[in-house]
Amino acid sequence: MRKWAKEHGLLLANFALFLVFFGGMILSGAASYSEDQQAHGEPAVTVLQFLASGEFLEATFENWESEFLQMAMYVVLTIFLFQKGSSESKPLDKKAPQDEDPRHATIGKATPWPVKRGGIALGFYKHSLSILLFVLFLASFTMHGVGGAEAYSEDQQSHGQAAVTFLQYLGTSRFWFESFQNWQSEFLAVAVLVGASVYLREKGSPESKPVAEPHYETGA
């Protein structure tokens, strides 16, 4: 068990942090939503009622949407684009292992089965990471719209105005403001990491070059 935990520590730690912060978001979100409801003369809600609300769906998926978009775009952009001196870039002056043609790989017992099979399976597998991230982005984008339409309709009706459909909500400035305010911060964070890794170091991290490495050296 200890060996397994060590081998999967990075995933386990991030998933544990996700659960802690997601739980905090749910509890604080339910309290905030209840306060807003009571301010409008409505009864407070339970945590379960909050989880079924458009407010919860909107708050959750507008954030997930930006994260998956950032990661999907980063995976794709690093195929074609470079940053001299950054640990986040492939080397400029030599071929990276990621560019090797899997059809010419030596097949062994541990080789992933799509590589062994070839054809359509390999064609899909070569881009499976970006496909997954874009699918998760589109799913989150959709759920952001679904939850947002419900929350927006509640707000509209409380002011004596008509509710909106999912498609109508996608045409509102509120939806795009929520999306853009998250998207811009994600790409700013990536840009800072890419640029800072040229000159700054973090000993022991694979996201950093070795501490003594020259600034112009590109790649981890």
Side-chain angles (χ1 to χ4, degrees), residues 63-110:
N63 281 282
W64 289 14
E65 156 199 313
S66 63
E67 300 294 342
F68 291 129
L69 175 63
Q70 176 219 63
M71 296 308 300
M73 290 299 298
Y74 190 56
V75 166
V76 172
L77 290 174
T78 51
I79 298 172
F80 310 103
L81 303 178
F82 304 87
Q83 177 58 53
K84 183 178 179 180
S86 177
S87 63
E88 298 295 311
S89 170
K90 290 189 296 186
L92 292 164
D93 54 357
K94 61 182 178 180
K95 191 173 183 179
Q98 296 89 339
D99 293 326
E100 295 175 359
D101 191 335
R103 293 174 298 178
H104 303 152
T106 301
I107 303 298
K109 187 176 180 180

Side-chain angles (χ1 to χ4, degrees), residues 83-87 193-201 209 214-215:
Q83 177 58 53
K84 183 178 179 180
S86 177
S87 63
L193 178 61
V194 170
S197 69
V198 176
Y199 303 103
L200 305 179
R201 308 286 187 267
K209 293 185 295 186
H215 294 326

Side-chain angles (χ1 to χ4, degrees), residues 104-120:
H104 303 152
T106 301
I107 303 298
K109 187 176 180 180
T111 302
W113 75 263
V115 179
K116 296 178 181 178
R117 185 176 182 87
I120 295 176

Side-chain angles (χ1 to χ4, degrees), residues 150-186:
E150 183 179 334
Y152 187 70
S153 291
E154 288 179 5
D155 188 56
Q156 288 286 92
Q157 290 172 321
S158 70
H159 291 85
Q161 297 177 314
V164 297
T165 65
F166 168 74
L167 291 178
Q168 287 173 328
Y169 183 64
L170 294 187
T172 65
S173 57
R174 169 170 152 170
F175 174 79
W176 291 104
F177 173 68
E178 290 171 346
S179 292
F180 287 137
Q181 71 172 331
N182 284 285
W183 297 358
Q184 57 85 22
S185 64
E186 299 298 337

